[in-house]
Amino acid sequence: MRTTLFFAFLAITVGSVQSCNWFSSPPPTFCDTACIKENIRFSGTHEDIPYVEISVANCLPDTLSWSYSGLGTKRKIGFAYLIGRTVKINNDFIKVQFKDNQYAWILFNDCVTGRGFQIQLPYDKATPFRLKSSGLNPLDPKFSIEEGLIANTDRGNLFVEDAMDGKKAMMTFGEKLDIDYDVIHDHIDSVSITRNKLWAKIKIGNKWVVKEKNITMQ
């Protein structure tokens, strides 16, 4: 009798565990990771019609290209090669800011981790691109950033740059934080960034603290 009860209990327990596994939800992603099949293209308002295009292959961003009418050439580079990893992107979580026909800033977040990336793409072939893989992008609802500003961190400081005129400002956190950019909200809960003020809620040790600074961009 005891043996029968034991196996009955064991069957119920195993069944419960399996049921939990079957019906448990995967961890939420930053944005929809559904397969993208069509190329993504953004165009500026300058008369030369500058553009940035992301070609897609096997549901992933494959090649980044940028040019404008009359340039006579098209700059391009492998997407994963440029940023050093494979990412999932979503058209609704990509932002491009054009500086006439001089350069474009492309901001996007990895849909799996939420990590922010920022790339400055100059149309002049002699000028190298700039990559920031620790971006605090306004695509993240916890990051309030005034239009036209590019914000990022190096774990010890908060940096801001005007996308149009290149003027900059910064604020120190006071110490270097152990930030994993793939889970940035473990250490940077939220930010509010304008051309006049920087504000951030950050985790130092086991305590959440607020840092803020009035700035003049130059």
Side-chain angles (χ1 to χ4, degrees), residues 30 140 142-143 180 182-190 208:
F30 179 80
D140 188 318
K142 300 204 76 175
F143 295 152
D180 179 347
D182 286 337
V183 284
I184 198 163
H185 288 297
D186 284 359
H187 282 86
I188 301 181
D189 175 77
S190 51
W208 288 100

Side-chain angles (χ1 to χ4, degrees), residues 64-120:
L64 184 63
S65 59
W66 63 105
S67 187
Y68 62 78
S69 177
L71 182 60
T73 186
K74 179 168 71 173
R75 303 193 66 177
K76 61 182 180 179
I77 191 169
F79 204 92
Y81 172 80
L82 172 62
I83 65 174
R85 62 192 292 172
T86 298
V87 295
K88 283 275 193 176
I89 61 172
N90 182 305
N91 191 39
D92 293 332
F93 290 84
I94 304 173
K95 182 180 179 67
V96 177
Q97 301 183 62
F98 293 88
K99 169 63 172 176
D100 299 328
N101 63 353
Q102 297 179 36
Y103 57 79
W105 275 102
I106 177 170
L107 284 61
F108 68 93
N109 287 66
D110 175 18
C111 281
V112 176
T113 65
R115 183 172 184 167
F117 294 86
Q118 303 161 344
I119 313 169
Q120 188 188 56

Side-chain angles (χ1 to χ4, degrees), residues 25-37:
S25 300
T29 57
F30 179 80
C31 51
D32 190 353
T33 59
C35 178
I36 51 174
K37 298 179 180 180

Side-chain angles (χ1 to χ4, degrees), residues 150-217:
I150 309 294
N152 47 76
T153 181
D154 67 349
R155 297 188 174 92
N157 305 280
L158 176 61
F159 299 98
V160 60
E161 177 178 346
D162 190 303
M164 297 298 102
D165 61 24
K167 291 183 178 180
K168 302 175 183 178
M170 59 85 68
M171 175 180 71
T172 180
F173 294 148
E175 62 181 85
K176 198 172 187 67
L177 307 180
D178 188 24
I179 297 175
D180 179 347
Y181 297 130
D182 286 337
V183 284
I184 198 163
H185 288 297
D186 284 359
H187 282 86
I188 301 181
D189 175 77
S190 51
V191 300
S192 178
I193 297 173
T194 70
R195 287 172 171 79
N196 301 311
K197 187 173 183 178
L198 302 179
W199 181 99
K201 183 179 179 182
I202 62 175
K203 191 174 187 180
I204 298 180
N206 294 316
K207 184 178 179 182
W208 288 100
V209 300
V210 169
K211 297 281 186 178
E212 55 187 324
K213 179 183 179 182
N214 294 325
I215 61 170
T216 299
M217 300 186 68

